[in-house]
Amino acid sequence: GAVVSQHPSRVICKSGTSVKIECRSLDFQATTMFWYRQFPKQSLMLMATSNEGSKATYEQGVEKDKFLINHASLTLSTLTVTSAHPEDSSFYICSARDYREGAYEQYFGPGTRLTVT
Amino acid sequence: DQQVKQNSPSLSVQEGRISILNCDYTNSMFDYFLWYKKYPAEGPTFLISISSIKDKNEDGRFTVFLNKSAKHLSLHIVPSQPGDSAVYFCASPGGTSYGKLTFGQGTILTVHP
């Protein structure tokens, strides 16, 4: 159980365009999902916490107008990188909490490699 | 706030030996910790967790020890296998809302055949 998927796994886009990344919990309902970004050889940086039916909570320094998060259902959250620039190129990972198990365990998706040219 | 620190960026061990990965934390009020394993270009995989009501939790080859007085936890892998080669992160909810996790910097484990 506790499987999280992400789509796409890899995307290349041109500067100025927008890209949408989907995160799905496949076998459980996730009222809370999280979006992370990982730079090369660095730790995971939490970008925002996504709550079903309400606005996302963004971490300090993360532009909410640039990184749009929508948590439309208990199994789907989306991250849209708007007007992408080369500096937005990164590895984006989502996670979800399965409240049926453990107090704080998060289960991660496989990640999405975004390259902006 | 809780901070978690992994002071060893890398660890190299021989197959069959024990791997010990360490993590220090700052705030003893927040007492739940998790270990994740991550391969390149993949999402982290949950390994094992521990809460302060225990000082040890074991799952197969993986054991986590919690030393509350030293604000220190460690992950032991015995015996180590080449497939264990990955980046290991410790994490803590740290009392934050919605259970968001604070991650350490990670330790790259390399297990040599």
Side-chain angles (χ1 to χ4, degrees):
Chain A
V3 179
V4 177
S5 70
Q6 263 182 261
H7 178 79
S9 59
R10 185 181 294 267
V11 58
I12 301 172
C13 70
K14 294 192 174 184
S15 190
T17 61
S18 295
V19 173
K20 179 185 284 188
I21 303 170
E22 291 187 350
C23 177
R24 293 182 185 272
S25 57
L26 298 185
D27 53 357
F28 66 100
Q29 294 184 331
T31 55
T32 305
M33 290 184 172
F34 303 87
W35 287 95
Y36 294 84
R37 182 173 179 178
Q38 187 181 30
F39 294 98
K41 298 186 178 181
Q42 293 190 25
S43 187
L44 299 165
M45 184 193 80
L46 178 66
M47 298 175 64
T49 302
S50 169
N51 299 294
E52 189 266 337
S54 64
K55 291 184 178 180
T57 303
Y58 290 83
E59 295 300 301
Q60 193 171 11
V62 177
E63 299 176 61
K64 61 181 180 181
D65 294 330
K66 181 165 189 62
F67 298 99
L68 301 179
I69 291 172
N70 183 273
H71 196 148
S73 75
L74 288 172
T75 60
L76 173 64
S77 177
T78 60
L79 167 68
T80 302
V81 183
T82 62
S83 187
H85 291 285
E87 58 265 29
D88 298 325
S89 298
S90 193
F91 191 60
Y92 293 87
I93 314 173
C94 72
S95 71
R97 287 182 64 187
D98 184 356
Y99 287 87
R100 300 170 303 172
E101 305 184 16
Y104 295 104
E105 284 78 2
Q106 291 181 22
Y107 295 89
F108 286 81
T112 297
R113 170 70 61 190
L114 170 63
T115 303
V116 184
T117 60
Chain B
D1 275 5
Q2 177 74 285
Q3 292 184 36
V4 288
K5 297 182 179 180
Q6 294 174 259
N7 294 316
S8 298
S10 63
L11 175 67
S12 182
V13 300
Q14 205 68 33
E15 181 178 7
R17 299 288 187 100
I18 184 172
S19 296
I20 301 176
L21 300 123
N22 295 302
C23 181
D24 297 306
Y25 60 95
T26 56
N27 196 329
S28 56
M29 285 188 62
F30 307 121
D31 55 5
Y32 196 91
F33 303 92
L34 307 93
W35 283 95
Y36 285 86
K37 172 183 178 180
K38 186 180 182 302
Y39 293 116
E42 292 187 14
T45 302
F46 170 70
L47 280 176
I48 194 169
S49 61
I50 191 167
S51 69
S52 64
I53 60 174
K54 295 182 175 182
D55 54 16
K56 175 183 174 182
N57 190 22
E58 188 172 358
D59 184 0
R61 296 186 297 115
F62 302 91
T63 303
V64 58
F65 295 91
L66 178 61
N67 183 334
K68 293 182 281 293
S69 61
K71 299 181 186 175
H72 176 85
L73 64 154
S74 59
L75 175 68
H76 293 212
I77 306 174
V78 182
S80 300
Q81 299 172 353
D84 295 330
S85 298
V87 181
Y88 289 78
F89 292 97
C90 66
S92 174
T96 56
S97 61
Y98 299 108
K100 68 180 184 181
L101 297 176
T102 299
F103 285 85
Q105 303 92 320
T107 297
I108 301 171
L109 173 64
T110 304
V111 181
H112 298 284

